Amino acid sequence: MITKYVSACIRDIQKHRFQEGSGPQTVVILKGCPMYCTSCPSPEIRNHGVRLVWDPARARHFEDGRIFSVQEVLELCLDHPDTLCETSVLLTGGEALMQHAFVYELLSRLKERGVHTAVETTGYVAESQFARLLPLIDHLIFYIKHYEREAHRKITGVYNDLILSNLRNSLGSSSEVEVRLTLVPGLNDRPEDVAGFSRMLQHVGVKQVQLPPLSPSAPPVRSNPADHASPFTGVEMTEYQDAFPT
Ligand code: SF4
């Protein structure tokens, strides 16, 4: 089936080369997110359409997002034919999997060409869609925001049942699954939260987690404008490090 006409609203497409000799990584930042995090650094990304946004620094409006077809994004991702084998693509957001029809087509085309695929997600995606996408994802990066159901709803607007179910299912898949904790000062970074995260993650079957960077000078987890990674919050991190050996 011809799928190149499937389109999505994308905020930005960036090229990164992390070290000399390595292939480029293309980062595709998709708009749209079904959650309402109280700590969201970029709430306007939640809308999955093109929107006019006011920029106070430049005192003018700008268009947030642009519609791209699968074909257009594919061409941008593959514009280094000499290093094709080492090329990788990371989808992020917002919630990268919200525009799932586009993501399915794009990942399918990338996998056909042998490109390494990575996705950052909150896991808040219908189980059937998640299961369909999973075999196309080489590296799945899961951001977990809270261990307790009601508290999760309070800080994100949604319960975490679906997220934990998708996380559990992903652990049995062929994807390499990386779990990252999103720690927000005062919301989930207290010493007593360590035990809560630890208990919940053990219950799901997660053996290892990635903690936020130790300091602003540490390598960033991701260059994501609606960054799901939280700032390092202080001494409590020691307890997290002890509880979750990385
Ligand atoms: S922080 Fe991330 S998951 Fe939460 S509302 Fe913002 S974009 Fe969505």
Side-chain angles (χ1 to χ4, degrees):
M1 182 172 29
I2 297 288
T3 55
K4 63 184 179 182
Y5 300 112
V6 179
S7 62
C9 186
I10 291 172
R11 172 174 274 185
D12 198 10
I13 298 179
Q14 304 168 349
K15 287 276 180 197
H16 297 277
R17 191 181 288 271
F18 293 110
Q19 48 184 300
E20 203 54 40
S22 74
Q25 182 185 57
T26 308
V27 179
V28 180
I29 303 167
L30 289 121
K31 286 198 67 189
C33 179
M35 312 227 295
Y36 295 83
C37 299
T38 49
S39 60
C40 183
S42 182
E44 60 284 354
I45 203 171
R46 293 192 56 257
N47 190 299
H48 69 279
V50 180
R51 286 288 177 276
L52 271 186
V53 175
W54 176 252
D55 178 356
R58 290 183 290 171
R60 63 183 169 94
H61 286 92
F62 68 96
E63 279 196 348
D64 183 29
R66 205 202 108 186
I67 303 297
F68 284 84
S69 67
V70 169
Q71 188 65 27
E72 282 179 290
V73 178
L74 199 55
E75 283 166 14
L76 287 167
C77 292
L78 302 178
D79 68 353
H80 288 266
D82 52 324
T83 52
L84 184 58
C85 292
E86 295 172 37
T87 298
S88 66
V89 173
L90 170 73
L91 306 186
T92 184
E95 170 45 64
L97 302 183
M98 187 171 167
Q99 301 187 77
H100 54 88
F102 174 90
V103 170
Y104 179 82
E105 300 304 338
L106 177 62
L107 291 179
S108 299
R109 302 291 85 79
L110 290 168
K111 291 306 296 171
E112 281 168 11
R113 288 159 176 81
V115 175
H116 182 272
T117 59
V119 170
E120 290 188 324
T121 184
T122 64
Y124 193 69
V125 187
E127 279 190 61
S128 57
Q129 289 159 7
F130 189 77
R132 186 167 177 250
L133 293 168
L134 204 46
L136 302 170
I137 303 171
D138 294 314
H139 184 190
L140 183 68
I141 303 158
F142 236 107
Y143 285 89
I144 300 293
K145 292 168 184 285
H146 211 285
Y147 52 91
E148 201 273 317
R149 194 170 181 268
E150 194 54 50
H152 193 279
R153 191 191 62 78
K154 232 179 232 170
I155 65 171
T156 68
V158 304
Y159 290 112
N160 60 1
D161 309 63
L162 178 60
I163 290 167
L164 297 184
S165 174
N166 281 331
L167 175 58
R168 192 177 286 112
N169 291 338
S170 71
L171 294 174
S173 76
S174 58
S175 303
E176 179 200 345
V177 180
E178 179 181 337
V179 175
R180 294 181 184 174
L181 300 186
T182 304
L183 299 185
V184 181
L187 290 181
N188 60 4
D189 68 334
R190 302 159 306 171
E192 58 264 39
D193 293 323
V194 178
F197 271 118
S198 177
R199 209 170 38 245
M200 181 273 279
L201 291 169
Q202 272 174 22
H203 184 68
V204 174
V206 174
K207 296 198 169 53
Q208 208 171 53
V209 297
Q210 179 77 36
L211 296 168
L214 294 178
S215 75
S217 59
V221 174
R222 257 261 41 78
S223 56
N224 176 4
D227 205 335
H228 296 291
S230 304
F232 174 53
T233 54
V235 291
E236 293 90 351
M237 190 54 64
T238 310
E239 299 190 40
Y240 277 89
Q241 286 168 327
D242 291 345
F244 303 114
T246 54

